[in-house]
């Protein structure tokens, strides 16, 4: 039996390397760089190193774990958070591109984002999500 077959046999029934593990490894690299940048502040450098080791150990644990169902749940949770973050980034980008034509407001009661055309004076806005009415200058 060669090395590849042994490795495949060893990894059988284990979670393996998934997107969340990849993210954890990326965090390790980021923490390593931060630790180097703050090497003159021993307390911070030690904290970054501790966090780096924790992320690395968790990544290795996840990769070799036999509790695949739990690890897949964690991976799904990660994908959900990642998607929310990407949507937020896209929303920021859209708002930046439309900033000259529209003004954006948050509903005071439900925090939904409202978009109104600029230069229309004082407007009475009605939230589409909760129906709350409030006045803003556009
Ligand atoms: Zn609202």
């Amino acid at each position: 039996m060669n090395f590849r077959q042994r490795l495949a046999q060893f990894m059988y029934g284990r979670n393996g390397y998934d997107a969340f593990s990849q993210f954890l490894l990326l965090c390790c690299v980021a923490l390593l760089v931060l630790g180097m940048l703050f090497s003159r502040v021993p307390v911070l450098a030690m904290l970054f190193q501790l966090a780096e080791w924790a992320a690395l150990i968790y990544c290795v644990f996840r990769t070799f774990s036999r509790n695949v169902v739990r690890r897949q749940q964690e991976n799904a949770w990660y994908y959900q958070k990642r998607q929310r973050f990407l949507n937020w980034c896209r929303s920021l980008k859209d708002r930046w591109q439309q900033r000259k034509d529209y003004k954006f407001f948050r509903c005071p009661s439900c925090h939904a984002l409202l978009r109104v055309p600029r230069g229309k004076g004082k407007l009475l806005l009605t939230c589409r999500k909760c129906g709350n009415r409030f006045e803003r200058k556009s």
Side-chain angles (χ1 to χ4, degrees), residues 33-95:
V33 171
L34 280 173
M36 284 178 187
L37 288 175
F38 290 95
S39 60
R40 289 186 176 203
V41 187
V43 177
L44 271 180
M46 200 178 78
L47 282 175
F48 284 130
Q49 207 170 30
L50 272 175
E52 179 193 326
W53 273 102
L56 186 67
I57 289 169
Y58 189 47
C59 177
V60 170
F61 163 75
R62 285 183 47 57
T63 303
F64 298 113
S65 172
R66 285 185 186 272
N67 191 351
V68 177
V69 174
R70 183 79 187 109
R71 300 292 87 81
Q72 283 177 345
Q73 283 173 348
E74 290 167 358
N75 202 37
W77 173 85
Y78 163 72
Y79 268 119
Q80 196 181 5
K81 297 294 174 194
R82 186 178 142 212
Q83 195 55 49
R84 266 183 80 173
F85 176 73
L86 291 176
N87 287 345
W88 179 76
C89 289
R90 193 175 304 122
S91 156
L92 273 185
K93 185 185 152 214
D94 290 347
R95 285 168 64 179

Side-chain angles (χ1 to χ4, degrees), residues 1 15 17 24-25 33 35 41 43 51 59 67 73 76 89 94 97 109 114-116 122-123 126-127 137:
M1 198 189 296
N15 186 54
Y17 187 67
L24 286 170
L25 259 183
V33 171
V41 187
V43 177
C59 177
N67 191 351
Q73 283 173 348
C89 289
D94 290 347
Q97 286 173 340
S109 71
L114 289 100
R115 186 183 79 166
V116 292
K122 231 174 197 180
L123 295 173
T126 307
C127 176
K137 194 179 164 202

